Amino acid sequence: KVRKIGASKEVQLTFPWTPRISCLGGSDPIDKLTAWPPLAQCQKLLGVVAGEGGPEDSTSELCKKGGVLVICGAPNNACFELGDFATKACVDGHGMLPLFATAKARPGQEINPVRELCVSCIACLRLTDPGLPPETSLAIKSLVDAKFHPLVDHLGLDTQLDGRLVTGVDRVGEEEQSRLVEMAISLTERLAVKRRTVITASYGIGTNRIPLRATRVLYWRLVDALNSLMTRLRQKDSAHALAVIMVVPPEVIPEDNVPAAVRHARETNHFIDVPTMDEKTIKEYILLTLGLQEPEALPSALLDYTSALAAGSPIYLGEILSELRKEEAIKILGPEAHRTCEVVLNGATHAAERLESLKVASWVHTNMVGGSLSLLESLDPQEAAVVKMAAVFAGPFSIPDLAASA
């Protein structure tokens, strides 16, 4: 069966993925940082007390009146984790119902945002109407206009016991996509006029480095429709606001025709750029991850090594520290209140030598190494040739240098 997402009587908030941040049961302490500007900006916009995760007051315009919050950055900069934090703050701190619309960039997943939005809508609508049919597809048909009924089969919501789809068409034309968006918006509006609602519309690239045109078209069509619905509800002075949280890499935002939702977020200062972490934040993140209370407990060689290797990416930092512990290159000593970290020399003369001896290339199961290999393999032959030639230069180089080495 389709995985339950959104909200239910048993669980207030269920994501379409497994959250990584600590406030949602994960192991990533990024939501506890005090020196990370994107988190501080998000907390301010949502009225969250830093370090507590609870509401400071009810004056958050985004949650009270509705609006668009854009979290923009590379996936490895933890923008999706920040989006999870924002969603939780809206649900737990302001009583909003959660909806999801995740765009995926692989073939056959173009209509996933509409699919998730419909499924999470039904999950939330069951809270007010427990009499809805148990099958998700039938529940949707009972709530939308009859003209949309043939489209429900495209979502592929019903399965047999052996896992095969009873209904479901992976690819649909642009005309049908427009009608699918219209159907999803009608369901969303049905919920939004009853309860305050937050929609997390994420754009995931994954290992497919070239976003599909069909995925981009449908995603921005849906976002524009959600922005129009949010604007209509604000104009009606509705007591039940609609907030849209967009988590997008910068390269998928159209440069020639910036969507209205993105413009609205920028005009209202609800646009959060998520760059790589600075040195101060990196150090705090490592201390939290290793459970160290004092900065002096962190070896300088370890800080220098992880900072240089991760290049400011918190996702990479977490992976590096995990691999170091797996390979027993570091160990944590002492009681919880006075923990210290030590680099295990294992025959090396000093800590830096030990860390530099690690076979980082063998960490292919990590985003840091596996993602880089995936990117290299996705390059065109000419692009790949340039990368190979560039690898021989020890320092800065120019185009003529590359031409001379060809």
Side-chain angles (χ1 to χ4, degrees):
K1 291 292 183 181
V2 175
R3 179 179 175 179
K4 293 182 179 179
I5 58 177
S8 66
K9 291 182 178 179
E10 298 80 16
V11 182
Q12 189 175 10
L13 174 59
T14 304
F15 288 81
W17 51 84
T18 301
R20 298 177 62 254
I21 58 176
S22 61
C23 66
L24 286 166
S27 59
D28 192 332
I30 200 165
D31 53 301
K32 297 179 180 178
L33 291 171
T34 60
W36 192 33
L39 178 61
Q41 186 179 355
C42 186
Q43 290 170 331
K44 182 178 180 181
L45 290 174
L46 299 177
V48 175
V49 178
E52 297 182 12
E56 181 178 357
D57 52 45
S58 59
T59 59
S60 169
E61 181 181 355
L62 184 71
C63 299
K64 187 177 181 181
K65 298 181 180 180
V68 177
L69 171 64
V70 175
I71 299 173
C72 182
N76 292 324
N77 291 349
C79 58
F80 289 96
E81 284 69 22
L82 187 60
D84 291 351
F85 174 85
T87 302
K88 183 181 187 299
C90 289
V91 173
D92 291 352
H94 299 278
M96 306 183 85
L97 289 179
L99 303 180
F100 297 93
T102 310
K104 297 183 178 181
R106 290 191 177 278
Q109 297 179 326
E110 292 87 349
I111 63 172
N112 191 71
V114 171
R115 184 175 188 267
E116 279 191 9
L117 185 54
C118 290
V119 170
S120 52
C121 263
I122 293 300
C124 291
L125 285 167
R126 291 189 193 280
L127 298 176
T128 57
D129 188 359
L132 288 173
E135 296 82 3
T136 304
S137 59
L138 294 180
I140 293 174
K141 289 180 179 179
S142 70
L143 295 173
V144 300
D145 193 280
K147 67 180 181 180
F148 295 125
H149 288 187
L151 298 173
V152 177
D153 293 343
H154 291 322
L155 301 178
L157 299 176
D158 300 319
T159 60
Q160 293 180 336
L161 293 178
D162 61 4
R164 291 180 300 167
L165 287 176
V166 177
T167 59
V169 178
D170 286 336
R171 299 177 184 276
V172 295
E174 288 201 14
E175 181 179 348
E176 288 179 311
Q177 287 183 14
S178 297
R179 294 170 61 210
L180 279 168
V181 169
E182 186 182 352
M183 178 183 73
I185 293 299
S186 69
L187 272 178
T188 305
E189 185 168 9
R190 181 182 285 269
L191 177 66
V193 296
K194 297 179 180 179
R195 293 278 301 273
R196 287 193 294 175
T197 306
V198 56
I199 301 173
T200 302
S202 303
Y203 195 110
I205 291 181
T207 55
N208 188 0
R209 298 291 172 171
I210 305 175
L212 297 176
R213 178 184 178 276
T215 300
R216 291 201 307 270
V217 169
L218 182 83
Y219 177 78
W220 290 114
R221 183 176 288 153
L222 179 61
V223 165
D224 283 342
L226 290 171
N227 183 66
S228 297
L229 174 59
M230 178 273 299
T231 303
R232 291 202 306 271
L233 292 174
R234 284 178 65 103
Q235 291 173 345
K236 291 180 180 179
D237 195 25
S238 173
H240 304 298
L242 173 67
V244 182
I245 299 175
M246 295 170 54
V247 185
V248 292
E251 63 266 28
V252 303
I253 298 178
E255 296 180 359
D256 53 342
N257 186 21
V258 179
V262 177
R263 294 199 308 270
H264 177 78
R266 285 173 172 161
E267 291 168 359
T268 56
N269 294 319
H270 287 171
F271 191 100
I272 302 177
D273 278 308
V274 186
T276 54
M277 285 184 171
D278 58 22
E279 185 177 344
K280 179 181 179 181
T281 310
I282 288 174
K283 187 172 184 178
E284 183 186 10
Y285 183 82
I286 296 175
L287 290 171
L288 287 170
T289 302
L290 297 179
L292 305 177
Q293 302 296 324
E294 300 295 333
E296 296 77 16
L298 179 65
S300 58
L302 177 60
L303 176 60
D304 294 341
Y305 175 79
T306 51
S307 298
L309 192 57
S313 165
I315 304 301
Y316 293 171
L317 280 171
E319 292 179 338
I320 294 167
L321 294 173
S322 176
E323 293 303 311
L324 292 178
R325 300 184 82 163
K326 286 180 183 178
E327 297 192 17
E328 299 182 348
I330 59 173
K331 61 181 178 180
I332 307 300
L333 306 172
E336 184 175 353
H338 302 285
R339 283 179 176 171
T340 60
C341 179
E342 180 181 286
V343 177
V344 180
L345 296 181
N346 196 27
T349 57
H350 51 81
E353 180 186 349
R354 166 65 170 135
L355 293 172
E356 292 294 341
S357 70
L358 295 170
K359 307 296 183 182
V360 176
S362 66
W363 301 350
V364 292
H365 52 283
T366 64
N367 283 314
M368 183 179 70
V369 177
S372 298
L373 290 174
S374 173
L375 176 59
L376 290 173
E377 292 173 356
S378 71
L379 295 176
D380 292 332
Q382 289 184 334
E383 295 172 331
V386 170
V387 172
K388 289 181 180 179
M389 288 187 290
V392 304
F393 294 101
F397 57 89
S398 63
I399 297 297
D401 295 329
L402 284 175
S405 65

